[in-house]
């Protein structure tokens, strides 16, 4: 079994977007983690985790990341996905050499099955978004920003699912001395467990997921891991991890939401402006700009009127193509 000392993730490109800068009226930089080997930021945290333990597996883009790592480490991997998983994602998982099984219609069905398997077969249950090693891996994004931005950022925009990326960015800003930099945490209405938790002051489990972005996408921002020496299975949850709520109480984190329609329009506009097709979750973060939210936050005094470089983390792009985008558009417009 190989165990490379070098990280599995790459230093992703940081590009200045003239089109987004024009909308905001300040320099906007896009951190293109959709260019990672597995197609999303997930390779940072999961790769770091697997390097420590020399074995691992997950699901969604977490599954793609861990399938990639498992292939590099020559470890068999089985990924369990809900029936809503796009065929494109399943195909890519199999191309990485993973065995794919479908269980249940939504993440909660799979989550219960994962706990059952963990208990009955002696596998280890590890949430890919709710573990310090995962956050450490994701924190490398901020270290790269420190090394390549022309100056400290005016704000950082992230999409939130399970909360692992947010926790990683929060850890990163602390490590580089950017604790005062606002972090804009974006979700879509109907899959906004962080926003609900911030309003309630405690963790909230959504009674139902009504965001089509959540239902149609294989939510790679959340999920969890079951580990064994030979194989493991992955599923997910719809409550943000406790640490994500904690960091909102320690740092200037602004939790906001956009509609499915706004997120979809953001993806389409980004494709036109930057000639890059990204996944649905990215529509939430890009929607902060295209919907005018950043400008409104400036008007309301929650962000400076003279904003320094704004960074948007483009979190992934492996689970979408043009046909998939058109299907999403049809369903969202019908919904």
């Amino acid at each position: 079994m190989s165990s490379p000392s070098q990280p599995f993730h790459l230093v992703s490109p940081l590009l200045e977007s003239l089109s987004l800068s024009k909308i905001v009226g300040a320099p906007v930089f896009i951190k293109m983690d959709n260019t990672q080997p597995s197609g999303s930021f997930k390779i940072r945290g999961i790769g770091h985790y697997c390097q420590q333990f020399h074995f691992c597996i997950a699901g969604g883009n977490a599954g793609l990341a861990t399938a990639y790592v498992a292939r590099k480490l020559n470890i068999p991997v089985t990924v369990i996905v809900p029936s809503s998983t796009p065929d494109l994602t399943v195909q890519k998982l199999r191309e990485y050499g993973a065995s794919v099984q479908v269980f249940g219609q939504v993440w909660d069905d799979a989550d219960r099955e994962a706990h059952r398997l963990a208990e009955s077969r002696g596998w280890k249950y590890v949430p890919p978004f709710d573990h310090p090693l995962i956050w450490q891996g994701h924190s490398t994004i901020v270290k790269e920003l420190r090394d390549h931005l022309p100056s400290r950022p005016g704000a950082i925009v992230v999409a939130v699912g399970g909360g692992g990326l947010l926790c990683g960015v929060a850890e990163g800003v602390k490590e580089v001395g950017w604790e005062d930099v606002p972090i804009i945490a974006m979700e879509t209405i109907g899959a906004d467990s962080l926003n609900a938790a911030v309003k309630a002051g405690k963790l909230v489990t959504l009674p139902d997921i009504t965001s089509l972005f959540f239902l149609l996408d294989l939510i790679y921002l959340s999920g969890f891991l079951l580990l064994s020496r030979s194989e493991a299975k992955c599923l997910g949850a719809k409550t943000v991890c406790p640490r994500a709520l904690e960091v909102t109480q320690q740092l200037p984190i602004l939790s906001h939401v956009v509609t499915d329609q706004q997120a979809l329009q953001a993806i389409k506009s980004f494709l036109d402006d930057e000639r890059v097709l990204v996944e649905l979750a990215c529509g939430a973060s890009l929607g902060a700009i295209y919907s005018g939210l950043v400008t409104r936050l400036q008007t309301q005094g929650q962000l400076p009127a003279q904003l320094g470089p704004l960074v948007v983390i483009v979190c992934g792009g492996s689970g979408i193509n043009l046909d998939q985008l058109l299907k999403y558009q049809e369903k969202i417009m019908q919904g």
Side-chain angles (χ1 to χ4, degrees), residues 169-182:
V169 170
E171 181 169 320
V173 296
K174 290 180 180 179
E175 291 178 1
V176 303
W178 289 352
E179 294 94 337
D180 58 337
V181 172

Side-chain angles (χ1 to χ4, degrees), residues 22-105:
K22 184 177 180 180
I23 295 172
V24 175
V28 174
F29 288 83
I30 45 179
K31 183 64 169 164
M32 305 296 285
D33 252 41
N34 60 313
T35 62
Q36 291 294 346
S38 65
S40 85
F41 75 96
K42 277 290 186 180
I43 191 67
R44 294 177 182 271
I46 289 175
H48 182 62
Y49 185 95
C50 293
Q51 278 187 311
Q52 309 307 310
F53 293 97
H54 310 302
F55 58 95
C56 80
I57 187 52
N61 268 5
L64 291 172
T66 47
Y68 174 85
V69 171
R71 184 176 183 179
K72 290 293 185 180
L73 295 176
N74 195 28
I75 300 170
V77 47
T78 298
V79 182
I80 293 184
V81 296
S83 59
S84 58
T85 305
D87 292 340
L88 178 63
T89 301
V90 173
Q91 177 184 344
K92 288 191 174 184
L93 284 166
R94 287 174 173 153
E95 287 174 354
Y96 279 138
S99 173
V100 182
Q101 297 181 18
V102 177
F103 187 93
Q105 297 182 351

Side-chain angles (χ1 to χ4, degrees), residues 5-297:
S5 59
Q6 295 298 315
F8 290 103
H9 71 269
L10 306 176
V11 176
S12 59
L14 179 68
L15 308 175
E16 185 172 5
S17 169
L18 297 180
S19 57
L20 294 180
S21 299
K22 184 177 180 180
I23 295 172
V24 175
V28 174
F29 288 83
I30 45 179
K31 183 64 169 164
M32 305 296 285
D33 252 41
N34 60 313
T35 62
Q36 291 294 346
S38 65
S40 85
F41 75 96
K42 277 290 186 180
I43 191 67
R44 294 177 182 271
I46 289 175
H48 182 62
Y49 185 95
C50 293
Q51 278 187 311
Q52 309 307 310
F53 293 97
H54 310 302
F55 58 95
C56 80
I57 187 52
N61 268 5
L64 291 172
T66 47
Y68 174 85
V69 171
R71 184 176 183 179
K72 290 293 185 180
L73 295 176
N74 195 28
I75 300 170
V77 47
T78 298
V79 182
I80 293 184
V81 296
S83 59
S84 58
T85 305
D87 292 340
L88 178 63
T89 301
V90 173
Q91 177 184 344
K92 288 191 174 184
L93 284 166
R94 287 174 173 153
E95 287 174 354
Y96 279 138
S99 173
V100 182
Q101 297 181 18
V102 177
F103 187 93
Q105 297 182 351
V106 296
W107 280 110
D108 292 289
D109 300 334
D111 185 54
R112 287 188 291 270
E113 173 69 359
H115 280 286
R116 185 189 71 78
L117 289 173
E119 182 176 351
S120 65
R121 301 189 182 186
W123 295 343
K124 185 177 181 181
Y125 176 97
V126 181
F129 57 83
D130 192 10
H131 194 285
L133 288 175
I134 300 295
W135 309 333
Q136 288 175 19
H138 294 334
S139 72
T140 56
I141 289 181
V142 181
K143 296 167 187 174
E144 291 171 18
L145 294 178
R146 174 199 59 194
D147 294 340
H148 297 103
L149 275 174
S151 61
R152 62 189 286 121
I156 301 173
V157 185
V158 303
V160 177
L165 178 58
L166 175 63
C167 292
V169 170
E171 181 169 320
V173 296
K174 290 180 180 179
E175 291 178 1
V176 303
W178 289 352
E179 294 94 337
D180 58 337
V181 172
I183 300 171
I184 305 174
M186 298 298 302
E187 299 169 288
T188 51
I189 295 173
D192 47 351
S193 58
L194 175 66
N195 191 258
V198 169
K199 290 178 178 177
K202 61 181 180 180
L203 289 177
V204 172
T205 299
L206 299 178
D208 194 14
I209 295 296
T210 59
S211 168
L212 285 175
F213 265 38
F214 189 104
L215 293 173
L216 295 173
D217 203 2
L218 184 60
I219 295 299
Y220 64 85
L221 296 173
S222 60
F224 63 83
L225 313 180
L226 284 174
L227 306 183
S228 74
R229 266 301 197 188
S230 60
E231 66 174 23
K233 323 231 170 179
C234 145
L235 314 159
K238 56 185 179 183
T239 305
V240 75
C241 70
R243 180 60 182 163
L245 178 60
E246 289 177 9
V247 298
T248 66
Q249 299 163 348
Q250 300 168 356
L251 296 169
I253 294 175
L254 309 176
S255 172
H256 287 277
V257 298
V258 291
T259 65
D260 283 348
Q261 289 79 7
Q262 288 173 321
L264 175 64
Q265 185 57 53
I267 291 174
K268 293 166 63 179
S269 297
F270 191 69
L271 177 58
D272 288 340
D273 291 339
E274 303 296 334
R275 299 166 303 283
V276 176
L277 179 60
V278 296
E279 286 178 338
L280 300 183
C282 293
S285 52
L286 291 169
I289 294 179
Y290 285 113
S291 71
L293 173 64
V294 170
T295 303
R296 290 195 298 274
L297 293 176

